[in-house]
Amino acid sequence: MKFYRYFPPPSDRMGALWTLCGIHDSCILEFGPSGNTSFAKSGFNNLNAEVNADIFTTHVTEDDIVFGDINRIRAALIEIDKIQRPKEIFILSSSLAAVSGTDVSGICEEIKDDINAKLILVDNGGFKGDHTTGIRNTLSLLCNEIVTEAESEKGTYNIIGSQPDCYNFSADVEEIKRIMRKIFGMECHAVFSSGSSIEKIRTASSAMINIVIRSEGIDGAGILKHKFNQEYIFARPYGLLKTLDFVELIKEKTGVVPTINNLEEEIFSCKSALFHIKGRIMHDGPKAVISGNYDLVLEIRSLLQEIGIKPVISIVNHELKGNNYAGYDSSVDMVINPDEDVIEQMLTEIKPDLVLGDDTILRISERLGIKNRFQISNPNSGVVKIFDYTPFVGFRGTVYLCEVLCNLIPSHKTL
C-alpha cells in the first residue's frame, strides 16, 4: 500500500499563528473564514500545545471576498477593542483574504484613531514560505513592536525560539530553565513565545541576556541587541559537549560563575549514561537516519557522533528560507524537504539500523520493516506529550536520549 503524507506543509501564516497562539493575554484577529481559524486552533492542539491567546475571526464569506466588503474587519476591530481592551491586536490575513487583495494595512490606518489598541499587522498570506518563515518573521515582529524599554533586572534571561512546531519544545525549555537555575542561579523572565505572557514579552528588555535556541530566532535577538544593547547567545545544547559549551557561553557573556558542585554532578550523570550506551555499540556503529527541523537534525547528528552512532543521512523536513541558519556545513549529507517517494527510496537503499524522525518517516520505516525507530520531531499524528521532563537538550536530555538508544539498540547482535 502506498504511503501518502498526512500533513500538508504548513504555511508562513500557520507559523505566525503558532508563534502567537501560546502567548497568554495576547489578542489575535484573523481576517478570514471561521473554518480557517478553527482548523488552525485544532492543529495547534495536535502539536501538544495549549492555545493561550484570545483568538477572533471576522467570519468572512464568499460575498465579502467577491465584492470587497471590509465592514466585517472594521467592525471586529472596534468590538474587540471595546470589549477586550487589549493593548495590542495582532491581525492576520488568511490565504483566502490575501488572494482577494484587501488592503488590511489601509483599513488599520483608517480606523486607528477610533480605537485604543495598537494594531499590529502580521505580514503574511501564506505565500512567502513555509511555517519557519512565519515563525522567523513573527519573532522579529514581537521583538520590534512589543518589547519596550524596561528597568534592568539582574539574574534574569529570556529564551527566544520556543514554538510548538518543535516536537519536544516544552520539555526542552524546562531543561534550559533547570540548568540556568541550578548552575547559575538565574531565572527566566520571558519565553518567545510558548507559555509566556504578552506582559513578560513587553518587558523582556530588562533581562541580562537572550538565549536563542533555534535559527529562526536570531533575527529577533539581533533587533533586541540593536534597540536595547541586550547581549544574546545562540545555543543548541544537545549532548554533553554542546551543553558544556552552552554553560561556558553563559559564563562568558554574563560574568556569572557556575556552581561547580552542581555542574560536576550533572557531568557525572551524563558521563555515566554515555558510558552505558557506548558499551553497547560496535566499533563501526549502527547506521542512523535523522529527520526533523534544521537545528534539531544538525545537533542530534552531533550527539549521535558523540555516542558512536553513524548518521548516514540527515533530512530537513522544511524549507530553508532567510538568513542565519547557523552552523550550516556543506559537507554534511543533508537532504532538504524531500517528498515521500524520495524518503522511501533512500531508506530502501541505505537500510539503516536506526531511524530518528517525524511521524511521516517513521510510518515509512515501519512499512519497510525497520524496527529501531523513535519520534523526535513533528509532524505528529497522535503522540500525546504531557510530562515536561523528558528533554532532548541539556544534561538530562543527554541522559534521556542515551536511555532511549539503549532500548532501541539492545546489543550488537541485533544489528
Side-chain angles (χ1 to χ4, degrees):
M1 180 178 177
K2 188 70 175 176
F3 177 87
Y4 293 96
R5 185 188 293 271
Y6 294 125
F7 312 95
S11 67
D12 62 328
R13 167 192 161 272
M14 194 68 77
L17 199 55
W18 287 345
T19 305
L20 296 173
C21 270
I23 305 175
H24 289 275
D25 303 322
S26 61
C27 187
I28 305 167
L29 174 65
E30 184 170 41
F31 177 42
S34 57
N36 272 34
T37 308
S38 178
F39 175 77
K41 290 175 69 174
S42 174
F44 193 75
N45 291 328
N46 288 339
L47 295 173
N48 290 299
E50 294 184 5
V51 177
N52 297 319
D54 293 322
I55 305 178
F56 305 91
T57 180
T58 55
H59 296 277
V60 165
T61 66
E62 292 87 345
D63 288 346
D64 295 326
I65 297 298
V66 170
F67 295 107
D69 189 345
I70 60 173
N71 288 324
R72 286 182 185 270
I73 186 171
R74 182 187 288 111
L77 288 170
I78 292 173
E79 183 178 353
I80 291 169
D81 180 66
K82 181 179 180 181
I83 296 175
Q84 299 294 125
R85 299 186 182 277
K87 289 186 178 180
E88 306 91 5
I89 302 175
F90 295 97
I91 305 167
L92 289 88
S93 294
S94 69
S95 299
L96 179 62
V99 168
S100 73
T102 304
D103 183 11
V104 180
S105 178
I107 297 170
C108 293
E109 183 66 26
E110 177 188 332
I111 69 168
K112 69 178 184 180
D113 293 334
D114 298 328
I115 62 177
N116 295 311
K118 179 181 180 180
L119 302 181
I120 301 176
L121 180 61
V122 182
D123 182 24
N124 66 84
F127 303 108
K128 298 180 179 66
D130 65 12
H131 65 288
T132 61
T133 303
I135 289 169
R136 179 187 294 272
N137 292 342
T138 308
L139 286 173
S140 296
L141 184 74
L142 289 170
C143 292
N144 200 38
E145 296 289 341
I146 301 298
V147 182
T148 58
E149 190 76 48
E151 187 176 347
S152 178
E153 187 178 357
K154 288 185 178 181
T156 62
Y157 61 93
N158 302 313
I159 296 173
I160 299 179
S162 174
Q163 278 70 47
D165 66 306
C166 294
Y167 177 73
N168 215 32
F169 75 100
S170 185
D172 285 347
V173 162
E174 288 304 314
E175 172 64 1
I176 290 173
K177 289 179 179 179
R178 188 190 71 86
I179 291 172
M180 292 298 289
R181 185 180 301 115
K182 183 174 181 179
I183 306 301
F184 292 101
M186 298 179 69
E187 295 294 332
C188 183
H189 177 84
V191 178
F192 290 70
S193 54
S194 58
S196 193
S197 70
I198 197 70
E199 185 59 35
K200 285 290 186 181
I201 291 174
R202 191 177 290 118
T203 56
S205 65
S206 65
M208 292 176 65
I209 191 170
N210 291 314
I211 300 172
V212 183
I213 59 174
R214 67 183 295 167
S215 293
E216 289 85 3
I218 294 175
D219 292 352
I223 291 171
L224 296 180
K225 169 68 174 173
H226 176 74
K227 291 181 69 174
F228 307 109
N229 198 30
Q230 197 172 30
E231 292 290 343
Y232 73 89
I233 65 166
F234 177 69
R236 296 176 295 202
Y238 290 81
L240 176 58
L241 298 179
K242 291 290 183 73
T243 303
L244 291 176
D245 288 344
F246 166 70
V247 170
E248 189 60 32
L249 271 174
I250 295 293
K251 176 185 174 182
E252 178 186 325
K253 289 291 187 179
T254 65
V256 180
V257 179
T259 305
I260 298 302
N261 289 342
N262 291 346
L263 181 58
E264 289 178 346
E265 177 187 321
E266 298 289 339
I267 294 172
F268 178 79
S269 178
C270 284
K271 286 185 174 179
S272 297
L274 289 166
F275 178 81
H276 199 80
I277 181 65
K278 286 179 179 179
R280 292 173 172 260
I281 295 174
M282 297 180 293
H283 291 297
D284 54 351
K287 295 183 295 184
V289 170
I290 313 164
S291 173
N293 70 62
Y294 174 81
D295 295 301
L296 176 72
V297 161
L298 212 60
E299 297 312 321
I300 291 292
R301 182 184 185 91
S302 174
L303 171 60
L304 293 183
Q305 289 171 333
E306 187 177 348
I307 290 171
I309 297 173
K310 294 189 301 185
V312 180
I313 290 288
S314 301
I315 300 171
V316 176
N317 59 10
H318 60 84
E319 300 173 19
L320 294 182
K321 285 196 173 184
N323 299 321
N324 291 326
Y325 272 98
Y328 182 77
D329 183 353
S330 59
S331 67
V332 173
D333 196 356
M334 187 178 290
V335 181
I336 307 299
N337 208 23
D339 62 27
E340 286 75 15
D341 290 336
V342 174
I343 293 173
E344 183 171 344
Q345 182 180 354
M346 286 190 296
L347 292 177
T348 302
E349 292 174 356
I350 294 168
K351 296 181 174 61
D353 305 299
L354 175 66
V355 175
L356 304 176
D358 56 54
D359 185 85
T360 299
I361 194 171
L362 295 190
R363 286 174 180 264
I364 297 174
S365 301
E366 182 180 20
R367 190 161 55 81
L368 295 176
I370 300 171
K371 296 180 179 179
N372 299 323
R373 54 188 187 271
F374 181 68
Q375 185 162 353
I376 61 171
S377 55
N378 285 323
N380 170 45
S381 67
V383 176
V384 176
K385 295 184 69 64
I386 300 172
F387 193 56
D388 281 343
Y389 302 97
T390 52
F392 296 160
V393 303
F395 298 113
R396 286 187 176 174
T398 302
V399 174
Y400 174 61
L401 286 175
C402 284
E403 177 189 277
V404 167
L405 293 169
C406 279
N407 288 290
L408 284 176
I409 309 171
S411 71
H412 319 214
K413 298 177 183 178
T414 62
L415 300 177

